Each structure stands twice: as structure tokens, then as C-alpha cells.
């Protein structure tokens, strides 16, 4: 059974830092591209970042470019999102999703609250 | 990249059919057959319902179907059921090699 489990969310001050993790199981993680997608409270889905299976290709949404860094460790079946200098508008549930042009499996999400 | 445009809400009686539109541009919806649709119940993660415009993942009822014409994709739910009440989002691959989501549609079963 494919499973994606996010962790690392919580309360962070504006200008601080936070690292989110996504641990995968039930499939060959090293063969799949992955994405981070977020959803602000009461709002719609917003794509955040993409990483290819080998980490050779990475993309970011303009809203997080220069502040967030996506990475993965295939040996640990894990993907990460390093959030630096978060802003109030980064408050959201962050989901990891498997796939290049679609999210065929999603985690349950981890809530990040940016507030002083 | 601007969000794809969806109606805010659509409603229908049980057994009826409804259609949700998703309008983009030639740089996303119109340029690629990589449109997906997701169902999201309150407090839950999104679930893939349609991929590559019109394909259903295993386990998704055939009441759900997708299509595309030009820059607009559509999701049709036939034989509407109470459990179909949820938020629905479209997404598309873009010419910037990124993904873009729709604004979301709340489906209400009357």
C-alpha cells in the first residue's frame, strides 16, 4: 500500500525557519518525481515545488522561490522542504504528492502556522 | 502562473448529472493533455479522480468522466450521489514545467 506521511509542521515566527519531511512507503520511491502542494485555511490548492526522481530537476512557484528549498534522500525514502524566512501568507497545510504531471497519491498533510 | 478558473459552486439533485468547467490558457490546459481532477472532502487530503484529461484511476466510479475542448477542461459527474458532495479541483501541467491548480468548485447534492 502506497503511503506518504508528512511531518515537521508547527508554529514558526516570520523570518524563522522550518523543515518539513515526507516519508514514503509501499513503492520504489527513487523511481518517482514528487511535489509539495499547500492549502491555506479555507482556500484552494497551490502547487509549491517539484523534484525529479534523481534530484536533477527542481522547480518552485514564484511565491516561494529563493526562500524554500526542496530536496530528497532516496536512501531514506524521504523528501524535504526547507522553509526559510516564512511569511504570514505561507500559513497552510502542506501536502506531499507523488507524480510528475499529477498527484496520484497524497499524504495527509502537515499544518504550518507562521505567526509572531 | 494564474490559477485555472472554475465555478465557485455547482449543485444537483441525487441521480442528476453536473459538469464542472476548468478554464486556462494555451500555456496550460490548451497546450497539454495533462489535466487532472481531484476530489477533497473536508479535512481530508485530495484524491485523484481523473488524469490525462479523461482517464480514471482504478477504483474511481465510472460516474466520473473528463473531457477537454481548447483551453477548457470539464469534469462530469453522472448519477450524482450524496458522497459526491465535496470540493473539486482541476490541475494542469504548464509550459513552465510546473503545475497549476484551479480555483476549486464546491459541489452540493441537494
Amino acid at each position: 500500500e502506497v503511503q506518504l506521511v508528512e511531518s515537521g509542521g508547527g508554529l514558526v515566527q516570520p523570518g524563522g525557519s522550518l523543515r518539513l519531511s515526507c516519508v514514503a512507503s509501499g513503492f520504489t520511491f527513487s523511481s518517482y518525481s514528487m511535489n509539495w502542494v499547500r492549502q491555506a485555511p479555507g482556500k484552494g490548492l497551490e502547487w509549491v515545488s517539484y523534484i525529479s526522481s534523481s534530484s536533477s530537476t527542481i522547480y518552485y512557484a514564484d511565491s516561494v522561490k529563493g526562500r524554500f528549498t526542496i530536496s530528497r534522500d532516496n536512501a531514506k525514502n524521504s523528501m524535504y522542504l526547507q522553509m526559510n524566512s516564512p511569511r504570514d501568507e505561507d500559513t497552510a497545510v502542506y501536502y506531499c504528492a507523488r507524480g510528475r504531471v499529477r498527484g496520484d497519491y497524497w499524504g495527509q498533510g502537515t499544518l504550518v502556522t507562521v505567526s509572531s | 502562473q494564474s490559477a485555472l478558473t472554475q465555478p465557485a459552486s455547482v449543485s444537483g439533485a441525487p441521480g442528476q448529472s453536473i459538469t464542472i468547467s476548468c478554464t486556462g490558457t494555451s500555456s496550460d490546459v490548451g497546450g497539454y493533455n495533462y489535466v487532472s481532477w481531484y476530489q477533497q472532502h473536508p479535512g481530508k487530503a485530495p484524491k485523484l479522480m481523473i488524469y490525462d484529461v479523461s482517464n480514471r484511476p482504478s477504483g474511481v466510479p465510472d460516474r466520473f468522466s473528463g473531457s477537454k475542448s481548447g483551453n477548457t477542461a470539464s469534469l462530469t459527474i453522472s448519477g450524482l450521489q450524496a458522497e459526491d458532495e465535496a470540493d473539486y479541483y482541476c490541475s494542469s501541467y504548464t509550459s513552465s514545467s510546473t503545475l497549476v491548480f484551479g480555483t476549486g468548485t464546491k459541489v452540493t447534492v441537494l
Side-chain angles (χ1 to χ4, degrees), chain A residues 5-76:
Chain A
V5 180
E6 302 94 338
S7 63
L11 178 64
V12 59
Q13 291 189 336
S17 64
L18 198 66
R19 190 174 88 149
L20 307 183
S21 299
C22 170
V23 178
S25 61
F27 66 100
T28 304
F29 180 70
S30 59
S31 296
Y32 286 85
S33 301
M34 299 290 295
N35 293 277
W36 285 101
V37 177
R38 68 185 181 184
Q39 186 170 35
K43 302 298 185 182
L45 300 173
E46 179 188 15
W47 173 81
V48 173
S49 186
Y50 160 87
I51 187 167
S52 63
S53 58
S54 65
S55 304
S56 60
T57 302
I58 286 173
Y59 297 107
Y60 297 99
D62 288 343
S63 57
V64 307
K65 199 174 297 183
R67 300 185 299 119
F68 291 8
T69 302
I70 192 172
S71 63
R72 65 189 294 164
D73 184 338
N74 287 341
K76 295 183 178 179

Side-chain angles (χ1 to χ4, degrees), chain A residues 66-92:
Chain A
R67 300 185 299 119
F68 291 8
T69 302
I70 192 172
S71 63
R72 65 189 294 164
D73 184 338
N74 287 341
K76 295 183 178 179
N77 289 342
S78 296
M79 177 178 68
Y80 308 99
L81 186 68
Q82 178 68 41
M83 304 173 61
N84 293 334
S85 302
R87 305 165 180 164
D88 290 349
E89 55 265 34
D90 295 321
T91 293

Side-chain angles (χ1 to χ4, degrees), chain B residues 29-102:
Chain B
V29 174
Y32 306 91
N33 287 324
Y34 291 134
V35 176
S36 301
W37 289 91
Y38 302 90
Q39 176 191 66
Q40 187 180 33
H41 287 109
K44 301 295 186 181
K47 175 187 176 183
L48 181 66
M49 304 300 284
I50 296 288
Y51 67 95
D52 296 353
V53 176
S54 60
N55 294 290
R56 276 187 313 277
S58 174
V60 172
D62 59 8
R63 303 183 290 103
F64 292 85
S65 62
S67 63
K68 189 185 84 166
S69 177
N71 296 338
T72 298
S74 298
L75 174 71
T76 297
I77 309 175
S78 305
L80 198 61
Q81 298 184 6
E83 60 261 37
D84 299 333
E85 185 161 296
D87 292 327
Y88 290 82
Y89 294 91
C90 61
S91 79
S92 175
Y93 181 74
T94 80
S95 59
S96 301
S97 301
T98 62
L99 293 177
V100 61
F101 284 93

